[in-house]
């Protein structure tokens, strides 16, 4: 019987290697995908996911719904509000009025760094809340009402 290296702790070694990459590259904003880690280290998806969990536990990264894991840097503030709230802020930030065209799901996906289906779900919530009006397939979504920002003390 041949001896093989124990797979125990493999995910920790990979997490340490990714953590070293994050520390040496200050411009790195996203972790490699699970598929990239699987190819590079010849590991299973489960091991890659356990490595992500270890990085999350260590405060190096956080999951992004519909996207890759985001690198967390010390002293950096991240808006963790629900996506629909951040998208609603676009109306106020860009001073859009009722009846004006709203940015497309593709534009918003790129702006917020998430997938288009994730943006579409958030837009559906804003439509249900009466903030946006859906023009239908292939038509431009418009602003129905300007949301009111609550002052937080």
């Amino acid at each position: 019987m041949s001896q093989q290296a124990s797979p125990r702790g493999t995910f920790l070694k990979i997490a340490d290697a990714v953590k070293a990459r994050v520390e040496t590259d200050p411009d790195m904003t996203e972790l490699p995908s699970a598929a990239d880690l699987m190819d590079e280290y010849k590991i299973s998806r489960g091991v890659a996911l356990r490595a992500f969990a270890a990085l999350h536990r260590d405060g190096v990264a956080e999951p992004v719904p519909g996207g890759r894991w985001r690198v967390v840097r010390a002293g950096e503030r991240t808006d963790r509000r629900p996506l629909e709230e951040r998208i609603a802020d676009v109306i106020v930030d860009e001073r859009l009025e009722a009846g004006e065209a709203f940015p497309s799901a593709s534009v918003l996906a790129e702006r917020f760094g998430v997938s288009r289906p994730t943006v579409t779900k958030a837009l559906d919530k804003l439509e249900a809340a009466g903030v946006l009006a859906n023009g239908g397939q292939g038509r431009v979504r418009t602003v129905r009402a300007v949301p009111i920002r609550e002052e937080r003390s």
Side-chain angles (χ1 to χ4, degrees), residues 85-144:
E85 288 180 24
R86 293 184 285 149
I87 289 175
D89 282 350
V90 169
I91 297 169
V92 177
D93 294 343
E94 296 183 8
R95 294 182 169 86
L96 297 176
E97 300 291 329
E100 285 190 67
F102 196 72
S104 70
S106 298
V107 169
L108 293 169
E110 188 170 325
R111 179 173 177 171
F112 291 103
V114 297
S115 69
R116 201 175 58 73
T118 300
V119 169
T120 301
K121 288 177 187 175
L123 291 172
D124 290 344
K125 290 179 182 180
L126 290 172
E127 288 172 14
V131 176
L132 296 176
N134 188 357
Q137 185 173 354
R139 295 180 52 202
V140 177
R141 186 176 273 113
T142 58
V143 176
R144 181 179 282 170

Side-chain angles (χ1 to χ4, degrees), residues 11-12 14-16 18-19 22 31 48-65 68-72 80:
F11 72 97
L12 292 174
I14 293 167
D16 288 341
V18 173
K19 190 185 305 184
V22 169
L31 295 185
L49 296 178
R50 289 182 73 193
F52 288 144
L55 291 166
H56 182 61
R57 191 174 46 251
D58 292 344
V60 175
E62 64 185 5
V64 176
R68 288 190 176 181
W69 284 69
R70 175 185 311 135
V71 173
V72 176
R80 290 184 171 80

